[in-house]
C-alpha cells in the first residue's frame, strides 16, 4: 500500500518523527532492519528506552502507522527520511556512518523520481553530498536535484521536553538546490510551526555539529569548575545560582558525573583540522567518572572506611532524569571503577528494573531508604523526581550528591 512518508530507522530519532507525522494525518510507514524493534512496535511496545510510551505507540498504530522490515515498502512513498543511528566510531569523537550508508543503499534500490529524500541522522558536514548522494544516485540511476529532491535537517528534539515538542521546535533545512530546500520545507511545514532555511546541506549539518559541541564544551567548563571549586572550598552550586541571574551573556550549565545522551561530540571532520576546544572538552568530561570514584574513596577514608569492602549504593543510572534511556550514562563506568577498588555495588532506579555491568547482574535495592541506611556510601548519579532527597539525606550514612539536588548542607556535593 502506498504511503506519504517512510521513516527509515525506528530509534530515538525516527520514532518522534513518525509520531509527529502520524498525528498530522500523514500516512506513515516505519522501516527498520531489526525484526525485534518492528515486532515490539507492532505489539504496541516501545523498542527503545525513553522514546515513546506504550499508549503513544498504540495511538500511532490506531492512526495507521505501519512498522515494517520489508524494504520494498520504500519504493511506494513520496518522502523518505533517514533517521539511522550514528554511534561513536572506534576513533575518539568520530561517528560510525554504517547504518546511514546501509539505509541509503536500501532506499536507492527502490527510489522513484520526484521523491523527497531527507537525512536527519547526526553526521559530519559533507555527508549528505559526499556520502549519501552518490549512494542514492548510483543505486537508483537518478540524479539528485534533478530527478529527486535531497536535503539535510538536523534532529533537534530534547527527550522529555514537553514544552518544546516537535511542533514547537524549529526545523533547520538545507537542500542540495533551492527546489530541494523548498520541497523539504513543504514537508516539515506540516509538522512544525517554524522552518529555518540554511544555505545548503553542509550548513545544516554543521548546525547539528555546533549544537552538540556547544553542550559538551559548556558542560566540560562547569565540570572543570566543579573540581576547582572543591579544591578551593567554594560552593559551585551557589556560584551558579548567582551567576544565572545575569540577564544576558550567561547560560547556566551544571556539573555531573559524566555526559550522557545520544549526541556524540565531534572534533575531527574528515581531513580538516581538529576542533581543539572540543577535543579538550571531551577529555575533561570523560575524566568525570574517574573523579567521582576518587571523591568516593576520599569521603570513605575521611570517615574511617576503605573502598575495599564498602557497600556503595548508586541512585539513578539513566542518562537523564525521569527517563529510562541509559545511552551514554556514566553509571556503568563508575560502577566498574568502584568494583575494581573492591566495593560491593548495588543500585536503585525506578526506570531500570534490571542492570548488568560487565555482563554481571548488579543487585537492585527494593527499599530505597533501607538500602541507603545500610550502605556505607550512597551516590546520587541522577535526580529522578520520585526521590525524596531530604528524607534520603537523613537516612543515608554518607551521601555524595553529583547533581547538586539535595538541600544545602544535607550531603557532600560534587
Amino acid at each position: 500500500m502506498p504511503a506519504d512518508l517512510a521513516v527509515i530507522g525506528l530509534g530515538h530519532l525516527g520514532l518522534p518523527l513518525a509520531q509527529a507525522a502520524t498525528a498530522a494525518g500523514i500516512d506513515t510507514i516505519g522501516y527498520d532492519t531489526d525484526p525485534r524493534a518492528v515486532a515490539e512496535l507492532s505489539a504496541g511496545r516501545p523498542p527503545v528506552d525513553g522514546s515513546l510510551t506504550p499508549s503513544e505507540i498504540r495511538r500511532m498504530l490506531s492512526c495507521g502507522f505501519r512498522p515494517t522490515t520489508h524494504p520494498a515498502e520504500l519504493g511506494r512513498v513520496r518522502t523518505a527520511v533517514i533517521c539511522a543511528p550514528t554511534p561513536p566510531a572506534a576513533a575518539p569523537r568520530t561517528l560510525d556512518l554504517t547504518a546511514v550508508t546501509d539505509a541509503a543503499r536500501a532506499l536507492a534500490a527502490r527510489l522513484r523520481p520526484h521523491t523527497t529524500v531527507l537525512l536527519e541522522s547526526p553526521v559530519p558536514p559533507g555527508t549528505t553530498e559526499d556520502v549519501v548522494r552518490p549512494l542514492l544516485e548510483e543505486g537508483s540511476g537518478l540524479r539528485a536535484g534533478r530527478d529527486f529532491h535531497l536535503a539535510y535537517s538536523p534532529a533537534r528534539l530534547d527527550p522529555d521536553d514537553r514544552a518544546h515538542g516537535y511542533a514547537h521546535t524549529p526545523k533547520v533545512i538545507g537542500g542540495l538546490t533551492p527546489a530541494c530546500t523548498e520541497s523539504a520545507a513543504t514537508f516539515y511545514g506540516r509538522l512544525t510551526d517554524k522552518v529555518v532555511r540554511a544555505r545548503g546541506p553542509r550548513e545544516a549539518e554543521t548546525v547539528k555539529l555546533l549544537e552538540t559541541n556547544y553542550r559538551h564544551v559548556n558542560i566540560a567548563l562547569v565540570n572543570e569548575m566543579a573540581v576547582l571549586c572543591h579544591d578551593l572550598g567554594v560552593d559551585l552550586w551557589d556560584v551558579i545560582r548567582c551567576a544565572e541571574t545575569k540577564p544576558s551573556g550567561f547560560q547556566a550549565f551544571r556539573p555531573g558525573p559524566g555526559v550522557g545522551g545520544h549526541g556524540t561530540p565531534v572534533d575531527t571532520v574528515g581531513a580538516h583540522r581538529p576542533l581543539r576546544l572540543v577535543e579538550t572538552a571531551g577529555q575533561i568530561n570523560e575524566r568525570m567518572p574517574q573523579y567521582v570514584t576518587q571523591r568516593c574513596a576520599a569521603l570513605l577514608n575521611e570517615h574511617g572506611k576503605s573502598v575495599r569492602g564498602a557497600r556503595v549504593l548508586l541512585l539513578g543510572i539513566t542518562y537523564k532524569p525521569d527517563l529510562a534511556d541509559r545511552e551514554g550514562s556514566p553509571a556503568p563506568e563508575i560502577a566498574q571503577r568502584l568494583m575494581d577498588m573492591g566495593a560491593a555495588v548495588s543500585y536503585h532506579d525506578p526506570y531500570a528494573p534490571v542492570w548488568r555491568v560487565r555482563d554481571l547482574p548488579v543487585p537492585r535495592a527494593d527499599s530505597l531508604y533501607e538500602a541507603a541506611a545500610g550502605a556505607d556510601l550512597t551516590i546520587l548519579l541522577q535526580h529522578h523526581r520520585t526521590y525524596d532527597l531530604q528524607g534520603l539525606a537523613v537516612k543515608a550514612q554518607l551521601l555524595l550528591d553529583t547533581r547538586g539536588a539535595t538541600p544545602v548542607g544535607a550531603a557532600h556535593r560534587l
Side-chain angles (χ1 to χ4, degrees):
M1 178 186 295
D4 289 337
L5 170 67
V7 177
I8 304 174
L10 298 176
H12 72 282
L13 297 178
L15 280 178
L17 170 60
Q19 181 191 30
T22 303
I26 299 173
D27 188 15
T28 304
I29 64 168
Y31 170 76
D32 202 292
T33 57
D34 183 357
R36 185 198 66 84
V38 171
E40 289 289 292
L41 283 170
S42 299
R45 295 186 295 266
V48 180
D49 285 341
S51 52
L52 300 179
T53 65
S55 62
E56 288 173 323
I57 292 172
R58 289 194 296 268
R59 192 175 304 118
M60 291 169 62
L61 294 172
S62 68
C63 292
F65 174 63
R66 291 178 288 124
T68 181
T69 57
H70 301 297
E73 298 275 2
L74 300 178
R76 304 174 182 177
V77 299
R78 297 181 179 88
T79 303
V81 186
I82 297 175
C83 298
T86 52
R93 287 176 288 284
T94 58
L95 302 176
D96 183 353
L97 301 180
T98 302
V100 169
T101 56
D102 288 347
R105 290 189 182 96
L107 177 61
R110 296 151 186 94
L111 189 61
R112 298 187 306 172
H114 311 300
T115 303
T116 298
V117 180
L118 306 167
L119 176 62
E120 284 203 3
S121 305
V123 294
T127 301
T128 302
E129 293 176 89
D130 301 338
V131 178
V132 173
R133 176 184 180 177
L135 291 174
L136 293 174
E137 292 182 337
E138 292 166 11
S140 68
L142 304 175
R143 184 174 176 182
R146 184 190 68 185
D147 303 316
F148 66 93
H149 297 297
L150 178 62
Y152 181 83
S153 180
R156 310 176 84 194
L157 285 186
D158 188 11
D160 203 38
D161 185 350
R162 301 298 180 181
H164 301 91
Y166 213 101
H168 305 300
T169 302
K171 284 296 290 180
V172 173
I173 299 164
L176 190 65
T177 66
C180 292
T181 298
E182 292 312 309
S183 179
T186 299
F187 167 71
Y188 283 117
R190 302 171 68 183
L191 306 180
T192 184
D193 296 336
K194 185 176 182 180
V195 170
V196 181
R197 292 164 175 80
R199 293 186 63 180
R202 291 173 189 267
E203 284 77 13
E205 291 163 336
T206 308
V207 168
K208 184 65 177 179
L209 180 73
L210 176 60
E211 291 176 349
T212 300
N213 286 343
Y214 175 86
R215 171 176 177 256
H216 281 260
V217 166
N218 280 280
I219 291 175
L221 171 61
V222 78
N223 278 340
E224 195 159 39
M225 288 293 296
V227 177
L228 172 66
C229 286
H230 174 70
D231 292 343
L232 295 177
V234 172
D235 185 346
L236 173 64
W237 305 95
D238 191 56
V239 173
I240 296 171
R241 179 185 65 84
C242 295
E244 65 183 344
T245 63
K246 190 174 186 291
S248 63
F250 180 82
Q251 180 183 358
F253 284 78
R254 288 169 173 79
V259 182
H262 297 268
T264 301
V266 176
D267 62 36
T268 303
V269 183
H272 303 286
R273 72 173 184 86
L275 298 171
R276 295 176 183 173
L277 181 60
V278 177
E279 181 180 17
T280 301
Q283 293 168 353
I284 293 170
N285 290 330
E286 289 162 6
R287 284 199 299 265
M288 289 308 292
Q290 178 183 357
Y291 176 69
V292 169
T293 54
Q294 289 172 347
R295 287 287 306 276
C296 292
L299 277 173
L300 286 166
N301 187 59
E302 289 170 9
H303 288 77
K305 298 179 180 179
S306 169
V307 178
R308 182 169 297 279
R311 294 161 297 178
V312 180
L313 174 66
L314 305 182
L315 301 185
I317 61 169
T318 63
Y319 97 86
K320 194 169 186 178
D322 308 311
L323 282 181
D325 197 339
R326 301 179 214 167
E327 181 69 27
S329 168
E333 182 179 347
I334 291 171
Q336 288 178 17
R337 288 181 175 276
L338 289 169
M339 291 173 182
D340 288 344
M341 297 168 74
V345 176
S346 60
Y347 84 101
H348 181 278
D349 193 309
Y351 298 94
V354 294
W355 187 36
R356 300 180 71 86
V357 174
R358 288 180 176 164
D359 291 328
L360 296 174
V362 179
R364 185 180 189 273
D366 294 323
S367 173
L368 174 58
Y369 296 116
E370 287 182 14
D376 297 303
L377 174 64
T378 298
I379 311 170
L380 179 68
L381 296 180
Q382 193 53 267
H383 180 205
H384 297 308
R385 279 193 293 260
T386 56
Y387 288 154
D388 172 13
L389 298 184
Q390 192 158 7
L392 184 67
V394 172
K395 291 287 186 180
Q397 295 186 40
L398 188 59
L399 178 60
L400 174 61
D401 175 7
T402 69
R403 298 292 180 178
T406 52
V408 175
H412 298 270
R413 290 183 171 185
L414 189 64

